[in-house]
Amino acid sequence: MPINITLPDGSSLQLAEGATGGEAAAAIGPRLAEAAVAVRVDDELRDLSAPLADGVSVEVITADSEVGRHILRHSAAHVMAQAVLALFPGARYAIGPAIEDGFYYDFEVGRAFTPEDLEAIEQRMAEIVAADQPFRRETVSKEEALLIFADQPFKQEIIESVEESELAETQQVSLYRNRDFVDLCRGPHLPSTGRLPAFKLLRTAGAYWRGDERRPQLQRIYGTAWESPAALEEHLHRLEEARRRDHRRLGPELDFFSFPPELGSGLAVWHPKGATVRELMEDYSRRTHRAHGYELVVSPHIARAHLWETSGHLGFYAQTMYPIMELDDGDRYVLKPMNCPFHILVYRSKGRSYRELPLRFFELGTVYRYERSGVLHGLLRARGFTQDDSHIFCTESQIGEELKGLLDFSLMVLRDFGFDEFEADLSTRPEKFVGDVELWDRATVALEEALKSSGLPYVVAEGEGAFYGPKIDLHVRDAIGRRWQLTTLQVDFALPANFGLEYATAENTRERPVMIHRALFGAVERFFGVLLEHCAGALPGWLCPVQATIVPVADRHRDYAVEVAASLEGRGLRVEVDTADETVGEKIRRAITQKHPAVLVVGDRDVGVGTVGFRLRGADEERGVPLEEATLRLAEFCRAPR
Ligand SMILES: [Zn+2]
Ligand SMILES: [Zn+2]
């Protein structure tokens, strides 16, 4: 009896009885059969070798899809464990999942792996791949499984902890074997090890069994695997680029900031050069906010717990807040995780009229959040940071206009700092929400209209909004294609109610204003970290703490170098004269490594005729450039966007 299966396009395919997923792929086309790594049968992933039942729907999974790569990577993890067990007799193996862009496996081998070990393991993996060993699925009882893994305590623990419910149906555990290697596994797997076209081991790390520091410490090996050598090459290149751009490396290297351990996790100190960049960013921020109708306010770093109870933060947000400080008189204070309640208090400090709305309060407000140490990541995820935070209070009918203006303002800021690729997410009403459904709908429509008129590409995240209102998140793509979330525009129906905010209408009745929270940079620190990675440390000229280095060729050119410096400073440029006892070449190299926009070299032929050797970032040195011309060109290169 032949069987019929349904393909993703709705068509049906007739196959011989007992046909496998692999045979289904071959019946569709030989190219598909070659690229196939598994099949999805009625929403469940299966091996290509599994026979298909009549009437199922079948989707062929290829190696170049996300799911396909996941299977590929998990198969690579098996091959790596097989290699380690062969090379390290007595090794114990724990777990080895596929992860984003790769895989890992945890082992107990009595010592840490060395770079030479990784090479040997990779070599052995290549041999296993060349041998093209088939992966075979097997199911055994729990007792049999315990026997098979009799000398593997981690596997035993996994078998013992397999949920009764999982065993309930068949009382069986599934295994995958290839040649002499066996692992506990749900699958699916590649048909054979020969189907692993490209892999690389990347690094090792210590990891506790089950993530528990009281359990044995294991040695983890991270690797990556791809559908082709070209895809692997591209990924390795991206990793290298990311390393080169890592702000945690660039920050100390360029003398911008550091994270001294004495200070505590997630807290940075800003060095003079970094503080100069910050000052420039913050001045830009204040200037542009004033120009866009914002009023600046200032608030303290702590407030009474009562304030956070009213705002609801102590209810919903407590685990991200630093613990409460209790004072002698019993009063309780909390370090602020957000600026919102303070701006609300400014709003509520007097009676408000519709004539004043929209009211836009702005503050570079420093907040503290107790992020788990595992998620901290340099300036991108810190425990103390400064938001360019605003709260806009407006009437319901003003929401649309306000959001349009806000979106334009946000894009202007992002473009001014050199970002030019944007995407937006619109998050809509979740199941649990506060406020009136119609109000939500109108605000969501207003957000979507603002997005449409901005021309930004956006996706709607249905039901992903906060319980208190819909929002827009803006993402930028950086120079190597990574996506970063920076700007957020959040409508809020809850806080104005919690604090009983009102304004007087034209008819002298009382209405509740709507609030919009928004941060354009997001946090100054995070924005700076992303910017630093985007431009690989070569900040736009106007943000560079040192915009030109002047290098006298010999001591006798020093006076002239100082003259040149004064001329540049006269145009508002930030310069330094490098008088260190080093060669000219060394000084130029240092200025370039420090990413200074210009190097001006002055020697015998410049003194007296008023010229300089001029090297602007990315260009070759030009000799004999008149000082006035060099000054103008550098001033243009370093002009602030507004
Ligand atoms: Zn597996
Ligand atoms: Zn807020």
Side-chain angles (χ1 to χ4, degrees), residues 160-173:
E160 293 290 2
S161 65
V162 169
E163 286 290 318
E164 284 302 323
S165 61
E166 264 179 73
L167 281 167
E169 244 179 78
T170 54
Q171 291 295 313
Q172 302 261 298
V173 180

Side-chain angles (χ1 to χ4, degrees), residues 165-243:
S165 61
E166 264 179 73
L167 281 167
E169 244 179 78
T170 54
Q171 291 295 313
Q172 302 261 298
V173 180
S174 65
L175 311 173
Y176 275 77
R177 277 187 199 277
N178 55 306
R179 187 101 19 118
D180 51 344
F181 179 75
V182 58
D183 206 349
L184 285 171
C185 181
R186 285 205 189 88
H189 270 279
L190 298 175
S192 66
T193 58
R195 298 291 303 278
L196 258 180
F199 62 89
K200 178 142 187 65
L201 302 188
L202 299 173
R203 62 195 171 90
T204 59
Y208 291 103
W209 169 234
R210 305 243 156 169
D212 183 344
E213 61 206 38
R214 291 159 304 184
R215 308 294 311 269
Q217 198 186 12
L218 307 175
Q219 301 300 323
R220 175 172 297 177
I221 304 179
Y222 285 99
T224 188
W226 293 80
E227 68 275 15
S228 69
L232 171 65
E233 212 38 61
E234 229 174 88
H235 175 68
L236 294 179
H237 179 72
R238 274 196 303 271
L239 282 185
E240 186 47 44
E241 267 300 312
R243 241 193 306 274

Side-chain angles (χ1 to χ4, degrees), residues 584-601:
V584 173
E586 282 167 339
K587 292 180 191 177
I588 294 175
R589 263 196 302 282
R590 185 170 53 236
I592 293 173
T593 343
Q594 292 291 302
K595 322 271 185 193
H596 299 167
V599 187
L600 283 70
V601 181

Side-chain angles (χ1 to χ4, degrees), residues 338-341 387 389-391 492 495 515-518:
M338 298 206 182
N339 302 299
C340 337
Q387 296 179 302
D389 205 3
S390 277
H391 294 92
D492 190 337
L495 278 181
M515 201 171 146
I516 304 171
H517 310 249
R518 40 106 302 179

